[in-house]
């Protein structure tokens, strides 16, 4: 099945502690059904100091379930994703506006 959400998409969080936050997808794990969105679902990880890097508490974006994310359309609202053929190619489109993504 084609992916409705891909790396680089602007999304909004629908559920959870970060509900309403917006961000860009940095990576997607389709097998687990999760994605990492910058600035969303941030946890504190403790880093040991090395010769190259400073140690301490580092914020890290953790994966969030794809079902809790929705694509943002051109108006900045959450939208569902549909598929259609244009010029013999399968393209994604926003259900709210009908525009190709």
């Amino acid at each position: 099945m084609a992916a409705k959400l891909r790396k680089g998409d602007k999304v909004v969080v629908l559920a959870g502690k970060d509900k309403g936050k917006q961000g860009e997808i940095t990576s997607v794990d389709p097998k687990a059904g999760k994605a990492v969105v910058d600035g969303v679902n941030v946890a504190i990880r403790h880093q040991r100091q090395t010769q190259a890097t400073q140690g301490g508490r580092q914020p890290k974006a953790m994966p969030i379930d794809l079902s809790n994310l929705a694509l943002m359309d051109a108006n900045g609202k959450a939208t569902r994703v549909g598929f259609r053929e244009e010029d013999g190619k399968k393209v994604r489109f926003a259900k709210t506006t009908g525009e190709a993504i």
Side-chain angles (χ1 to χ4, degrees):
M1 189 176 112
K4 294 188 177 188
L5 297 175
R6 297 180 187 160
K7 180 179 175 180
D9 286 347
K10 300 267 190 233
V11 293
V12 61
V13 180
L14 299 176
K17 66 175 185 168
D18 294 321
K19 180 177 180 177
K21 285 191 180 178
Q22 301 171 358
E24 187 174 325
I25 295 180
T26 55
S27 68
V28 179
D29 183 7
K31 194 168 188 179
K34 294 182 181 281
V36 176
V37 182
D38 56 343
V40 174
N41 198 24
V42 176
I44 301 294
R45 291 285 171 244
H46 294 78
Q47 187 75 32
R48 174 168 282 177
Q49 183 175 355
T50 64
Q51 288 183 333
T53 62
Q54 180 70 26
R57 297 166 41 129
Q58 306 291 331
K60 180 182 180 187
M62 302 302 286
I64 187 168
D65 205 81
L66 289 174
S67 64
N68 295 332
L69 300 175
L71 190 71
M72 279 178 33
D73 61 4
N75 303 330
K77 291 188 171 183
T79 181
R80 292 178 295 153
V81 178
F83 293 95
R84 65 178 172 216
E85 285 216 11
E86 289 182 5
D87 302 329
K89 288 192 173 187
K90 188 175 184 180
V91 295
R92 300 181 299 159
F93 73 97
K95 294 260 187 162
T96 54
T97 61
E99 294 178 3
I101 301 167

